[in-house]
Amino acid sequence: MRYHDRRHAGRELALRLKEDAANGKLPDPVVLALPRGGVPVAVEVARTLEAPMDVLVARKIGAPGHPETGIGAVVGDDPPLFDRSALDMLRLSEERLAPDVARERAELRRRESLYRGDRPAPPIEGRSVILVDDGLATGVTARAALRYLRRRGAARLILAVPVCAPGTAAAMGSETDGADEIVCPHQPRSFRAVGQWYDIFDQVGDEEVIDLLREPTTPGPGR
């Protein structure tokens, strides 16, 4: 199973979620995208569900010398979440990574301001929150985002991604602060990287994110 691009993946995810919505399993939904790659996926989900959409900015903390390998993540003002087994394997301490955390938190604030401006974050307490990304490898960023949303009172928490490593999907639903439901149509045993399951996997830029956030997803004149 492959996806043409992120918006195609979003439409496939939306088909899985539409039935739950029709059966009343997603009362008062709000769709939150992990930028940047999750935004084109999420806009298709939100449009199909006729739900409001916004971003939840989270920043991955990469391994020293291998920034694409996530060993931790930060969301909002929450303490960083680290993959303890990865830290032990690499013989790293949280103190050693403090400068990385500070740098990523600063970038998080920059992106929040850029994407949202003066618009407040959507209320999530008591709502069905659908967290969307374009795929999961280690999943540490999504784990931090789920923890953040759980602590802020989401009534039902759904993690929706087009593709992920099978072990990652299982872990997401087993943790105390994890998702109530995982929607992931494709969990290949041969998973190596998210991009291998897309024909087009270009980098999503800030301007594209801003433009997508302006697309109306609810009935009426827009959000």
Side-chain angles (χ1 to χ4, degrees), residues 34-101:
L34 289 173
R36 294 182 285 211
V39 179
V41 183
V43 74
E44 297 293 340
V45 172
R47 180 178 291 114
T48 297
L49 299 180
E50 297 185 344
M53 182 192 118
D54 210 321
V55 290
L56 176 62
V57 182
R59 292 295 297 170
K60 176 173 63 180
I61 301 164
H66 300 278
E68 293 305 312
T69 302
I71 58 174
V74 289
V75 185
D77 293 320
D78 277 8
L81 176 70
F82 288 104
D83 182 332
R84 301 306 313 180
S85 61
L87 293 189
D88 292 343
M89 182 178 64
L90 296 171
R91 297 182 179 180
L92 291 170
S93 66
E94 294 189 23
E95 291 75 16
R96 160 69 175 78
L97 293 167
D100 303 80
V101 172

Side-chain angles (χ1 to χ4, degrees), residues 127-151:
R127 304 183 74 172
S128 300
V129 180
I130 304 165
L131 181 68
V132 179
D133 203 354
D134 56 10
L136 297 180
T138 64
V140 66
T141 305
R143 284 172 54 206
L146 290 169
R147 181 185 69 172
Y148 176 90
L149 293 169
R150 180 70 70 191
R151 292 180 178 183

Side-chain angles (χ1 to χ4, degrees), residues 2-192:
R2 292 180 62 83
Y3 302 103
H4 176 64
D5 57 16
R6 290 180 176 89
R7 298 196 76 149
H8 170 221
R11 291 190 291 273
E12 292 295 321
L13 274 183
L15 291 176
R16 303 293 183 103
L17 291 161
K18 191 175 181 179
E19 185 176 349
D20 279 356
N23 292 333
K25 295 180 180 179
L26 295 176
D28 195 18
V30 58
V31 177
L32 296 180
L34 289 173
R36 294 182 285 211
V39 179
V41 183
V43 74
E44 297 293 340
V45 172
R47 180 178 291 114
T48 297
L49 299 180
E50 297 185 344
M53 182 192 118
D54 210 321
V55 290
L56 176 62
V57 182
R59 292 295 297 170
K60 176 173 63 180
I61 301 164
H66 300 278
E68 293 305 312
T69 302
I71 58 174
V74 289
V75 185
D77 293 320
D78 277 8
L81 176 70
F82 288 104
D83 182 332
R84 301 306 313 180
S85 61
L87 293 189
D88 292 343
M89 182 178 64
L90 296 171
R91 297 182 179 180
L92 291 170
S93 66
E94 294 189 23
E95 291 75 16
R96 160 69 175 78
L97 293 167
D100 303 80
V101 172
R103 183 181 63 250
E104 295 304 336
R105 204 183 294 277
E107 176 62 13
L108 181 154
R109 295 304 184 205
R110 183 194 74 83
R111 293 196 185 194
E112 284 183 333
S113 177
L114 180 65
Y115 299 154
R116 187 171 291 124
D118 295 330
R119 176 167 48 86
I124 62 172
E125 186 172 358
R127 304 183 74 172
S128 300
V129 180
I130 304 165
L131 181 68
V132 179
D133 203 354
D134 56 10
L136 297 180
T138 64
V140 66
T141 305
R143 284 172 54 206
L146 290 169
R147 181 185 69 172
Y148 176 90
L149 293 169
R150 180 70 70 191
R151 292 180 178 183
R152 279 149 186 82
R156 182 166 173 76
L157 197 48
I158 299 95
L159 176 63
V161 293
V163 60
C164 68
T168 300
M172 290 293 171
S174 64
E175 297 181 1
T176 303
D177 293 329
D180 296 306
E181 181 181 354
I182 311 291
V183 178
C184 182
H186 193 34
Q187 301 180 35
R189 292 185 178 181
S190 57
F191 183 96
R192 294 190 302 276

